[in-house]
Amino acid sequence: MKTLCLAVLLSGLTAATVAVSPPLNAAEKQHPALPETLQLQDVFTLEYASHPVISNDAEQVYFVRNYMDINSDRKLANIWSVDQDGDLRPITTGLKNDYAPALSPNNQRLAYISDETGSAQIHIKWLDSGHSARISHLSSRPSPVVWSPDGKQLAFTMFVPTATKPVVTLPGKPANADWAKPAVFVDSVYYRFDGVGNLKNGNQQIFVMSADGGSPKQVTFANTDHNSNISWSADSNTIVYAINELDESEQEWTNSNIFSLNLINGKVQQLTQQLGTDTSPIVSPNGQYIAYLSSKQNYKNYENTELFIMNSDGSNKRSLTENLDRTVNSITWANNSKGVYFSYHDHGETYVNYQPISGKRKQVAKQLGGLAFGRPYSGAQFDVSHNGTVAFTYSDPQRPADIAISRKGKTKKLTQLNQDALAHKQLADIKPLTVKSSYDQQPIQAWVALPPNYQTEKAKGKSFPLILEIHGGPVTNYGPHFSAEVQLMAAQGYVVVYANPRGSDSYGKAFAQSIHNNYPSQDYDDLMSVVDGVIATEAIDTSKLYVTGGSGGGVLTAWIIGHTDRFKAAVVAKPVINWISFTLTTDIHSFVIKNWFEKMPWEDPAHYMKLSPISYVGKVNTPTMLLTGEADLRTPIGETEQYYQALKLRNIDTAMVRIPDAPHGIYKRPSNLMSKVAHILWWFEQYP
């Protein structure tokens, strides 16, 4: 079986190739009427915090400080610490990637992963002496390590290749002959993954090694991937994990159940048994319980993920969030084992609640986010100290993620990582907006980015062009979070609106499921109502409306211009254009067909085509640019090519930006964020 990474891998692009040749500095010119605003090259000055780890006494927070290196055009990272007074100190330094910090139980050592020596290896920092050392010599990249409660062992996962023989061997090759590369034989359902490419034969397996270094010991050997987190029993003798154990695991991509492995006698015990996703198990500090996340397989586009607990032997399973109509994202136990902290999204924002094993939950932290960086998606991380202080990535609409703590309802921001880069810039103000959909009067939430100097220019009678920017997913959500793309667009004088139409999460299961087997559909009406709402409340030049979006947002952008001519120009990024061709070529084809549709494409081609933007290309009159990575395996570039060539056949103004070596995500290399925004703005400027 071939390994399949479940994480969404964002990856980079180089300079884009375009069917026309726009001057990339067209979007860089400073708006003459505006003060100093964010410019494309400022992307390399931005930083953001991630992976906070708080000490037991809550006095120190360790975190990853991510930054952009302009010479290598890469995102790099080091580990820093900050105390409650805001005193910042480096734990690691250098032009490298240090990440996944993990404190030892006694807080005297910090384990982390680093590529300092050329490959990702496990390192240890002794916090009292400041000494550090590489303690592993692994053949593959390890997952983040997990300390055993006694501090003596580390557990992690690593890819273990499986040797395979070719099914045929060509005879007659001379010893020094230069023949073509051998054919690649494929018989797996999932044989490639976006951002990775063709998958190698083998699996992610669990390893355990001494915290003092030495050779790791492989402890799992199943013909399936171990991609979930690992948790230790209180006595450090057992590990708990989740895997997809089904024989047809490749068909049921998201299925997983929870198992325990006794490291002393090798006994494996299955603790949960359901068709669905039981994952993220964490043993309570006292060893009596296991908390985990669970969602049932309903063969729909969305299902809430609930917080469950069970006894350590797998008995007495029960949901603690059954009455919360939201998905639980991540969990951690309270030190006294009496409750669980969890994060969740609600109306585009992220919160942390404390849920006792019995009793009412309470909110303990808010304003989490800031990790998405490029676009205003929700996304956050948190950790909790022994006294209940929550450390988290802090969301500010005008700043990427910082580190903050919350204790007894009071929030304190500890870092200002972008003060030097952004304090002297005038950024867009972000205003909330809620409208009622013209389809059914359902409330639709949106946010409006107003360009710098908006109020002054508005008072002079000026009206502004509008960009509608649409999120992907489709079951994701935008919120009041920092977005380099939105800020760069607003800096050039555009009002930018982004929204959560039906199908977005963070509004409950019914709202997210309303597009099941019906996407796109009334989400179009939601977005048009949002545009109308901005026009009704802001100074908008209605002759200068523009629309763009990526992935699921690209689908909706293509759908919109096939159903209305109100937009002056459009940029369709990495879209699905034809649901039949997409479902049979995407890297997650089986998952998409089973969970987004009710029949196979050949069983109901009319329905697939009814929902395909290509079916409405004959109605498109809007000048349209398409932008997709050439290595995109999620929404393969063939989707883009279909639409581009169809528009060319109709003599519609169109261009295609093909981004070499780029998979579905664009931002692994910072210059590609610049390039994407520059091309979008250049295209809109051609249709003033």
Side-chain angles (χ1 to χ4, degrees), residues 301-305 325-329 343-351 376-379 443-447 471-481 499-515 519 523 526:
N301 70 310
Y302 177 82
E303 179 59 67
N304 280 337
T305 298
D325 189 17
R326 298 292 186 270
T327 277
V328 176
N329 296 310
S343 65
Y344 66 102
H345 302 319
D346 182 49
H347 288 76
E349 299 194 56
T350 305
Y351 302 89
Y377 286 111
S378 297
I444 304 298
Q445 191 172 21
W447 292 266
H471 75 61
V475 185
T476 53
N477 67 82
Y478 275 165
H481 312 297
N500 287 331
R502 68 191 66 209
S504 304
D505 62 7
S506 81
Y507 300 89
K509 181 162 67 173
F511 191 81
Q513 287 184 349
S514 62
I515 63 168
Y519 164 68
D523 35 10
D526 300 343

Short mmCIF file of all heavy atoms in Angstrom, two decimals, residues 301-305 325-329 343-351 376-379 443-447 471-481 499-515 519 523 526:
data_model
loop_
_atom_site.label_atom_id
_atom_site.label_comp_id
_atom_site.label_asym_id
_atom_site.label_seq_id
_atom_site.Cartn_x
_atom_site.Cartn_y
_atom_site.Cartn_z
N ASN A 301 -21.42 16.02 2.52
CA ASN A 301 -20.27 16.92 2.40
C ASN A 301 -19.75 17.40 3.75
O ASN A 301 -18.66 17.96 3.82
CB ASN A 301 -20.63 18.13 1.53
CG ASN A 301 -21.60 19.07 2.23
OD1 ASN A 301 -22.63 18.64 2.75
ND2 ASN A 301 -21.30 20.35 2.24
N TYR A 302 -20.51 17.16 4.82
CA TYR A 302 -20.10 17.70 6.13
C TYR A 302 -20.77 16.91 7.24
O TYR A 302 -21.91 16.45 7.12
CB TYR A 302 -20.49 19.17 6.25
CG TYR A 302 -20.17 19.78 7.60
CD1 TYR A 302 -18.88 20.24 7.88
CD2 TYR A 302 -21.14 19.88 8.59
CE1 TYR A 302 -18.58 20.79 9.12
CE2 TYR A 302 -20.85 20.43 9.83
CZ TYR A 302 -19.56 20.88 10.09
OH TYR A 302 -19.26 21.42 11.32
N GLU A 303 -20.06 16.78 8.35
CA GLU A 303 -20.61 16.24 9.60
C GLU A 303 -19.87 16.89 10.75
O GLU A 303 -18.65 17.09 10.69
CB GLU A 303 -20.46 14.73 9.67
CG GLU A 303 -20.98 14.09 10.95
CD GLU A 303 -22.46 14.36 11.18
OE1 GLU A 303 -23.29 13.85 10.37
OE2 GLU A 303 -22.78 15.07 12.14
N ASN A 304 -20.59 17.25 11.80
CA ASN A 304 -19.93 17.81 12.97
C ASN A 304 -18.99 16.79 13.60
O ASN A 304 -19.29 15.61 13.67
CB ASN A 304 -20.96 18.24 14.02
CG ASN A 304 -21.60 19.57 13.72
OD1 ASN A 304 -21.03 20.39 12.99
ND2 ASN A 304 -22.78 19.80 14.27
N THR A 305 -17.85 17.28 14.06
CA THR A 305 -16.92 16.46 14.84
C THR A 305 -17.12 16.79 16.31
O THR A 305 -17.05 17.96 16.70
CB THR A 305 -15.47 16.74 14.43
OG1 THR A 305 -15.30 16.39 13.05
CG2 THR A 305 -14.50 15.95 15.27
N ASP A 325 -23.63 22.62 18.20
CA ASP A 325 -23.76 22.44 16.75
C ASP A 325 -22.58 23.08 16.03
O ASP A 325 -22.74 23.93 15.15
CB ASP A 325 -25.08 23.04 16.27
CG ASP A 325 -25.37 22.70 14.81
OD1 ASP A 325 -24.74 21.76 14.27
OD2 ASP A 325 -26.22 23.39 14.20
N ARG A 326 -21.39 22.67 16.42
CA ARG A 326 -20.16 23.13 15.81
C ARG A 326 -19.15 21.98 15.83
O ARG A 326 -19.26 21.06 16.64
CB ARG A 326 -19.56 24.34 16.57
CG ARG A 326 -20.44 25.58 16.59
CD ARG A 326 -20.58 26.21 15.22
NE ARG A 326 -21.32 27.48 15.27
CZ ARG A 326 -22.64 27.59 15.14
NH1 ARG A 326 -23.38 26.51 14.98
NH2 ARG A 326 -23.22 28.77 15.17
N THR A 327 -18.15 22.06 14.97
CA THR A 327 -17.09 21.05 14.95
C THR A 327 -16.00 21.40 15.95
O THR A 327 -15.54 22.55 16.00
CB THR A 327 -16.50 20.92 13.54
OG1 THR A 327 -17.34 20.05 12.76
CG2 THR A 327 -15.10 20.34 13.55
N VAL A 328 -15.58 20.42 16.73
CA VAL A 328 -14.45 20.59 17.64
C VAL A 328 -13.18 20.34 16.84
O VAL A 328 -13.06 19.34 16.13
CB VAL A 328 -14.55 19.60 18.82
CG1 VAL A 328 -13.31 19.70 19.71
CG2 VAL A 328 -15.82 19.88 19.63
N ASN A 329 -12.20 21.23 16.97
CA ASN A 329 -11.00 21.16 16.14
C ASN A 329 -9.82 20.50 16.83
O ASN A 329 -9.15 19.65 16.26
CB ASN A 329 -10.60 22.57 15.69
CG ASN A 329 -11.65 23.19 14.80
OD1 ASN A 329 -12.11 22.59 13.84
ND2 ASN A 329 -12.06 24.41 15.13
N SER A 343 -10.98 23.72 21.03
CA SER A 343 -11.20 24.89 20.17
C SER A 343 -12.27 24.57 19.15
O SER A 343 -12.49 23.40 18.79
CB SER A 343 -9.91 25.30 19.46
OG SER A 343 -9.48 24.30 18.56
N TYR A 344 -12.95 25.61 18.67
CA TYR A 344 -14.00 25.44 17.67
C TYR A 344 -14.20 26.77 16.96
O TYR A 344 -13.83 27.85 17.47
CB TYR A 344 -15.31 24.98 18.31
CG TYR A 344 -15.94 25.99 19.25
CD1 TYR A 344 -17.02 26.77 18.85
CD2 TYR A 344 -15.44 26.19 20.54
CE1 TYR A 344 -17.59 27.71 19.70
CE2 TYR A 344 -15.99 27.12 21.39
CZ TYR A 344 -17.07 27.88 20.97
OH TYR A 344 -17.63 28.82 21.82
N HIS A 345 -14.76 26.70 15.76
CA HIS A 345 -15.08 27.90 14.98
C HIS A 345 -16.56 28.25 15.16
O HIS A 345 -17.43 27.37 15.14
CB HIS A 345 -14.82 27.69 13.49
CG HIS A 345 -13.41 27.30 13.16
ND1 HIS A 345 -12.32 27.88 13.76
CD2 HIS A 345 -12.91 26.40 12.28
CE1 HIS A 345 -11.20 27.35 13.27
NE2 HIS A 345 -11.55 26.44 12.38
N ASP A 346 -16.83 29.53 15.30
CA ASP A 346 -18.22 30.00 15.38
C ASP A 346 -18.32 31.34 14.67
O ASP A 346 -17.64 32.30 15.04
CB ASP A 346 -18.66 30.13 16.84
CG ASP A 346 -20.11 30.57 16.96
OD1 ASP A 346 -20.97 29.96 16.30
OD2 ASP A 346 -20.38 31.53 17.71
N HIS A 347 -19.15 31.38 13.61
CA HIS A 347 -19.34 32.60 12.85
C HIS A 347 -18.02 33.22 12.40
O HIS A 347 -17.79 34.43 12.52
CB HIS A 347 -20.17 33.62 13.63
CG HIS A 347 -21.63 33.25 13.74
ND1 HIS A 347 -22.07 32.27 14.61
CD2 HIS A 347 -22.72 33.70 13.07
CE1 HIS A 347 -23.40 32.15 14.48
NE2 HIS A 347 -23.80 33.00 13.54
N GLY A 348 -17.13 32.37 11.89
CA GLY A 348 -15.88 32.85 11.32
C GLY A 348 -14.80 33.17 12.34
O GLY A 348 -13.70 33.59 11.95
N GLU A 349 -15.05 32.95 13.62
CA GLU A 349 -14.05 33.21 14.65
C GLU A 349 -13.76 31.93 15.43
O GLU A 349 -14.55 30.97 15.39
CB GLU A 349 -14.51 34.33 15.58
CG GLU A 349 -14.73 35.65 14.84
CD GLU A 349 -14.85 36.83 15.77
OE1 GLU A 349 -13.92 37.05 16.57
OE2 GLU A 349 -15.87 37.54 15.70
N THR A 350 -12.63 31.91 16.14
CA THR A 350 -12.20 30.71 16.85
C THR A 350 -12.12 30.98 18.34
O THR A 350 -11.61 32.03 18.77
CB THR A 350 -10.83 30.24 16.32
OG1 THR A 350 -10.92 30.05 14.91
CG2 THR A 350 -10.43 28.92 16.97
N TYR A 351 -12.61 30.02 19.12
CA TYR A 351 -12.67 30.14 20.57
C TYR A 351 -12.11 28.88 21.21
O TYR A 351 -12.03 27.82 20.59
CB TYR A 351 -14.11 30.34 21.04
CG TYR A 351 -14.80 31.54 20.44
CD1 TYR A 351 -15.50 31.44 19.24
CD2 TYR A 351 -14.76 32.78 21.07
CE1 TYR A 351 -16.14 32.53 18.68
CE2 TYR A 351 -15.40 33.89 20.52
CZ TYR A 351 -16.08 33.75 19.33
OH TYR A 351 -16.71 34.84 18.78
N PRO A 376 -8.07 35.20 4.52
CA PRO A 376 -8.56 35.33 5.90
C PRO A 376 -9.30 34.10 6.44
O PRO A 376 -10.39 34.21 7.03
CB PRO A 376 -9.49 36.54 5.81
CG PRO A 376 -10.02 36.50 4.41
CD PRO A 376 -8.88 36.00 3.57
N TYR A 377 -8.72 32.92 6.26
CA TYR A 377 -9.30 31.72 6.82
C TYR A 377 -9.15 31.68 8.34
O TYR A 377 -8.21 32.23 8.90
CB TYR A 377 -8.63 30.48 6.24
CG TYR A 377 -9.01 30.16 4.82
CD1 TYR A 377 -8.09 30.30 3.79
CD2 TYR A 377 -10.29 29.70 4.51
CE1 TYR A 377 -8.42 30.00 2.48
CE2 TYR A 377 -10.63 29.40 3.20
CZ TYR A 377 -9.70 29.54 2.18
OH TYR A 377 -10.04 29.24 0.89
N SER A 378 -10.08 30.97 9.00
CA SER A 378 -9.90 30.67 10.41
C SER A 378 -8.84 29.59 10.54
O SER A 378 -8.74 28.70 9.71
CB SER A 378 -11.22 30.18 11.03
OG SER A 378 -12.20 31.20 10.97
N GLY A 379 -8.07 29.64 11.59
CA GLY A 379 -7.02 28.65 11.83
C GLY A 379 -6.20 29.11 13.01
O GLY A 379 -5.70 30.24 13.01
N PRO A 443 -29.55 34.65 6.99
CA PRO A 443 -28.48 35.62 7.24
C PRO A 443 -27.14 35.10 6.73
O PRO A 443 -26.77 33.96 6.99
CB PRO A 443 -28.49 35.77 8.76
CG PRO A 443 -29.16 34.54 9.28
CD PRO A 443 -30.14 34.12 8.24
N ILE A 444 -26.42 35.96 6.02
CA ILE A 444 -25.11 35.63 5.45
C ILE A 444 -24.11 36.63 6.01
O ILE A 444 -24.28 37.84 5.88
CB ILE A 444 -25.12 35.67 3.91
CG1 ILE A 444 -26.20 34.74 3.36
CG2 ILE A 444 -23.74 35.32 3.37
CD1 ILE A 444 -26.02 33.28 3.69
N GLN A 445 -23.04 36.11 6.61
CA GLN A 445 -22.05 36.97 7.24
C GLN A 445 -20.91 37.28 6.28
O GLN A 445 -20.47 36.42 5.52
CB GLN A 445 -21.49 36.29 8.50
CG GLN A 445 -20.66 37.22 9.37
CD GLN A 445 -20.29 36.58 10.70
OE1 GLN A 445 -20.30 35.36 10.83
NE2 GLN A 445 -19.97 37.40 11.69
N ALA A 446 -20.45 38.51 6.32
CA ALA A 446 -19.36 38.95 5.45
C ALA A 446 -18.53 39.99 6.19
O ALA A 446 -18.90 40.48 7.26
CB ALA A 446 -19.91 39.53 4.15
N TRP A 447 -17.38 40.31 5.59
CA TRP A 447 -16.49 41.36 6.10
C TRP A 447 -16.06 42.22 4.94
O TRP A 447 -15.81 41.72 3.83
CB TRP A 447 -15.28 40.75 6.81
CG TRP A 447 -15.65 40.06 8.08
CD1 TRP A 447 -15.63 40.57 9.33
CD2 TRP A 447 -16.12 38.71 8.21
NE1 TRP A 447 -16.06 39.63 10.24
CE2 TRP A 447 -16.36 38.48 9.58
CE3 TRP A 447 -16.36 37.67 7.30
CZ2 TRP A 447 -16.84 37.26 10.06
CZ3 TRP A 447 -16.84 36.45 7.78
CH2 TRP A 447 -17.07 36.26 9.14
N HIS A 471 -13.99 32.30 -0.77
CA HIS A 471 -13.15 31.26 -0.17
C HIS A 471 -13.35 29.91 -0.83
O HIS A 471 -14.33 29.65 -1.53
CB HIS A 471 -13.36 31.18 1.34
CG HIS A 471 -14.65 30.53 1.81
ND1 HIS A 471 -14.99 29.23 1.54
CD2 HIS A 471 -15.65 31.02 2.60
CE1 HIS A 471 -16.13 28.93 2.11
NE2 HIS A 471 -16.57 30.01 2.75
N GLY A 472 -12.38 29.02 -0.60
CA GLY A 472 -12.43 27.68 -1.15
C GLY A 472 -13.08 26.71 -0.18
O GLY A 472 -13.80 27.08 0.73
N GLY A 473 -12.81 25.44 -0.38
CA GLY A 473 -13.33 24.42 0.51
C GLY A 473 -14.16 23.36 -0.19
O GLY A 473 -13.63 22.32 -0.56
N PRO A 474 -15.46 23.55 -0.36
CA PRO A 474 -16.22 24.74 0.05
C PRO A 474 -16.55 24.81 1.53
O PRO A 474 -16.97 25.85 2.03
CB PRO A 474 -17.50 24.61 -0.77
CG PRO A 474 -17.70 23.14 -0.93
CD PRO A 474 -16.32 22.55 -1.06
N VAL A 475 -16.36 23.69 2.28
CA VAL A 475 -16.73 23.72 3.69
C VAL A 475 -15.54 24.21 4.51
O VAL A 475 -14.80 23.43 5.11
CB VAL A 475 -17.22 22.34 4.17
CG1 VAL A 475 -17.72 22.42 5.60
CG2 VAL A 475 -18.33 21.83 3.26
N THR A 476 -15.32 25.51 4.47
CA THR A 476 -14.35 26.21 5.31
C THR A 476 -15.00 27.52 5.71
O THR A 476 -16.20 27.73 5.47
CB THR A 476 -13.04 26.47 4.54
OG1 THR A 476 -13.35 27.14 3.31
CG2 THR A 476 -12.30 25.18 4.24
N ASN A 477 -14.23 28.42 6.29
CA ASN A 477 -14.82 29.72 6.62
C ASN A 477 -13.76 30.80 6.65
O ASN A 477 -12.61 30.56 6.99
CB ASN A 477 -15.57 29.66 7.95
CG ASN A 477 -14.68 29.44 9.15
OD1 ASN A 477 -14.08 30.38 9.68
ND2 ASN A 477 -14.58 28.18 9.59
N TYR A 478 -14.17 31.98 6.25
CA TYR A 478 -13.40 33.20 6.42
C TYR A 478 -13.84 33.88 7.72
O TYR A 478 -14.89 33.56 8.29
CB TYR A 478 -13.66 34.16 5.26
CG TYR A 478 -12.82 33.94 4.02
CD1 TYR A 478 -13.20 34.55 2.81
CD2 TYR A 478 -11.66 33.18 4.03
CE1 TYR A 478 -12.44 34.40 1.66
CE2 TYR A 478 -10.90 33.02 2.88
CZ TYR A 478 -11.29 33.63 1.69
OH TYR A 478 -10.54 33.48 0.55
N GLY A 479 -13.03 34.82 8.17
CA GLY A 479 -13.37 35.57 9.37
C GLY A 479 -12.58 36.85 9.46
O GLY A 479 -11.83 37.21 8.54
N PRO A 480 -12.68 37.57 10.57
CA PRO A 480 -11.97 38.84 10.75
C PRO A 480 -10.51 38.60 11.10
O PRO A 480 -10.05 38.89 12.21
CB PRO A 480 -12.73 39.50 11.90
CG PRO A 480 -13.24 38.35 12.71
CD PRO A 480 -13.56 37.27 11.72
N HIS A 481 -9.77 38.05 10.13
CA HIS A 481 -8.37 37.67 10.33
C HIS A 481 -7.49 38.37 9.30
O HIS A 481 -7.97 38.80 8.25
CB HIS A 481 -8.22 36.16 10.21
CG HIS A 481 -9.23 35.38 10.99
ND1 HIS A 481 -9.30 35.46 12.37
CD2 HIS A 481 -10.22 34.54 10.61
CE1 HIS A 481 -10.29 34.68 12.79
NE2 HIS A 481 -10.86 34.12 11.74
N ALA A 499 -16.98 36.67 2.22
CA ALA A 499 -18.18 36.22 2.92
C ALA A 499 -18.15 34.73 3.18
O ALA A 499 -17.31 33.99 2.64
CB ALA A 499 -19.43 36.58 2.10
N ASN A 500 -19.09 34.28 3.99
CA ASN A 500 -19.30 32.86 4.25
C ASN A 500 -20.69 32.47 3.74
O ASN A 500 -21.67 32.46 4.50
CB ASN A 500 -19.18 32.55 5.74
CG ASN A 500 -17.75 32.61 6.22
OD1 ASN A 500 -16.82 32.35 5.47
ND2 ASN A 500 -17.56 32.95 7.49
N PRO A 501 -20.80 32.15 2.45
CA PRO A 501 -22.09 31.72 1.92
C PRO A 501 -22.48 30.35 2.44
O PRO A 501 -21.67 29.66 3.08
CB PRO A 501 -21.83 31.69 0.41
CG PRO A 501 -20.37 31.37 0.29
CD PRO A 501 -19.73 32.09 1.45
N ARG A 502 -23.70 29.92 2.19
CA ARG A 502 -24.13 28.60 2.64
C ARG A 502 -23.16 27.54 2.13
O ARG A 502 -22.61 27.64 1.03
CB ARG A 502 -25.56 28.31 2.20
CG ARG A 502 -25.76 28.13 0.70
CD ARG A 502 -27.24 28.14 0.37
NE ARG A 502 -27.79 29.46 0.66
CZ ARG A 502 -29.06 29.68 1.03
NH1 ARG A 502 -29.89 28.67 1.15
NH2 ARG A 502 -29.48 30.91 1.27
N GLY A 503 -22.93 26.52 2.96
CA GLY A 503 -21.88 25.55 2.68
C GLY A 503 -20.65 25.80 3.53
O GLY A 503 -19.84 24.89 3.74
N SER A 504 -20.49 27.02 4.03
CA SER A 504 -19.37 27.31 4.94
C SER A 504 -19.63 26.64 6.28
O SER A 504 -20.77 26.43 6.70
CB SER A 504 -19.24 28.82 5.15
OG SER A 504 -19.10 29.51 3.93
N ASP A 505 -18.55 26.30 6.99
CA ASP A 505 -18.73 25.79 8.34
C ASP A 505 -18.68 26.94 9.34
O ASP A 505 -18.52 28.10 8.96
CB ASP A 505 -17.73 24.69 8.68
CG ASP A 505 -16.28 25.17 8.63
OD1 ASP A 505 -16.04 26.37 8.47
OD2 ASP A 505 -15.39 24.31 8.77
N SER A 506 -18.86 26.62 10.59
CA SER A 506 -18.91 27.53 11.74
C SER A 506 -20.29 28.15 11.95
O SER A 506 -20.46 29.01 12.80
CB SER A 506 -17.84 28.63 11.68
OG SER A 506 -18.19 29.70 10.86
N TYR A 507 -21.29 27.66 11.20
CA TYR A 507 -22.67 28.12 11.35
C TYR A 507 -23.63 26.96 11.62
O TYR A 507 -24.84 27.13 11.54
CB TYR A 507 -23.12 28.89 10.10
CG TYR A 507 -22.27 30.10 9.83
CD1 TYR A 507 -21.13 30.00 9.05
CD2 TYR A 507 -22.59 31.34 10.38
CE1 TYR A 507 -20.32 31.10 8.81
CE2 TYR A 507 -21.78 32.45 10.16
CZ TYR A 507 -20.65 32.32 9.37
OH TYR A 507 -19.85 33.42 9.15
N GLY A 508 -23.10 25.79 11.91
CA GLY A 508 -23.95 24.65 12.19
C GLY A 508 -24.01 23.67 11.04
O GLY A 508 -23.71 23.99 9.89
N LYS A 509 -24.43 22.45 11.37
CA LYS A 509 -24.43 21.36 10.40
C LYS A 509 -25.40 21.61 9.25
O LYS A 509 -25.06 21.36 8.09
CB LYS A 509 -24.77 20.04 11.10
CG LYS A 509 -24.78 18.84 10.18
CD LYS A 509 -24.69 17.54 10.93
CE LYS A 509 -25.90 17.26 11.77
NZ LYS A 509 -25.85 15.90 12.37
N ALA A 510 -26.58 22.11 9.54
CA ALA A 510 -27.57 22.31 8.48
C ALA A 510 -27.08 23.31 7.44
O ALA A 510 -27.28 23.13 6.23
CB ALA A 510 -28.90 22.76 9.07
N PHE A 511 -26.43 24.38 7.90
CA PHE A 511 -25.93 25.40 6.99
C PHE A 511 -24.85 24.82 6.08
O PHE A 511 -24.83 25.07 4.87
CB PHE A 511 -25.37 26.57 7.80
CG PHE A 511 -25.05 27.80 7.00
CD1 PHE A 511 -26.05 28.68 6.62
CD2 PHE A 511 -23.74 28.08 6.62
CE1 PHE A 511 -25.75 29.83 5.89
CE2 PHE A 511 -23.44 29.21 5.88
CZ PHE A 511 -24.44 30.09 5.52
N ALA A 512 -23.94 24.02 6.65
CA ALA A 512 -22.87 23.43 5.85
C ALA A 512 -23.40 22.37 4.89
O ALA A 512 -22.94 22.27 3.75
CB ALA A 512 -21.81 22.82 6.77
N GLN A 513 -24.38 21.59 5.33
CA GLN A 513 -24.91 20.52 4.49
C GLN A 513 -25.88 21.00 3.43
O GLN A 513 -26.27 20.22 2.56
CB GLN A 513 -25.61 19.47 5.35
CG GLN A 513 -24.67 18.60 6.16
CD GLN A 513 -25.41 17.53 6.94
OE1 GLN A 513 -26.65 17.55 7.03
NE2 GLN A 513 -24.67 16.59 7.51
N SER A 514 -26.24 22.27 3.44
CA SER A 514 -27.25 22.77 2.50
C SER A 514 -26.78 22.74 1.06
O SER A 514 -27.60 22.87 0.15
CB SER A 514 -27.67 24.20 2.88
OG SER A 514 -26.56 25.08 2.79
N ILE A 515 -25.48 22.53 0.82
CA ILE A 515 -24.99 22.43 -0.56
C ILE A 515 -24.64 20.99 -0.95
O ILE A 515 -24.07 20.77 -2.01
CB ILE A 515 -23.77 23.34 -0.81
CG1 ILE A 515 -22.59 22.89 0.07
CG2 ILE A 515 -24.12 24.80 -0.56
CD1 ILE A 515 -21.27 23.53 -0.32
N TYR A 519 -23.90 21.82 -5.40
CA TYR A 519 -22.88 22.87 -5.33
C TYR A 519 -22.20 23.03 -6.68
O TYR A 519 -21.72 22.03 -7.24
CB TYR A 519 -21.85 22.50 -4.25
CG TYR A 519 -20.55 23.26 -4.28
CD1 TYR A 519 -20.51 24.62 -3.97
CD2 TYR A 519 -19.35 22.62 -4.63
CE1 TYR A 519 -19.30 25.31 -3.99
CE2 TYR A 519 -18.15 23.31 -4.66
CZ TYR A 519 -18.13 24.65 -4.33
OH TYR A 519 -16.94 25.33 -4.36
N ASP A 523 -25.65 29.26 -3.06
CA ASP A 523 -24.52 30.05 -2.58
C ASP A 523 -24.26 31.23 -3.52
O ASP A 523 -23.75 32.27 -3.10
CB ASP A 523 -23.26 29.20 -2.41
CG ASP A 523 -23.12 28.12 -3.45
OD1 ASP A 523 -23.89 28.11 -4.44
OD2 ASP A 523 -22.25 27.25 -3.29
N ASP A 526 -26.45 33.95 -2.29
CA ASP A 526 -25.87 34.53 -1.08
C ASP A 526 -24.81 35.57 -1.43
O ASP A 526 -24.77 36.67 -0.86
CB ASP A 526 -25.24 33.44 -0.22
CG ASP A 526 -26.24 32.37 0.22
OD1 ASP A 526 -27.46 32.63 0.14
OD2 ASP A 526 -25.79 31.30 0.63
#
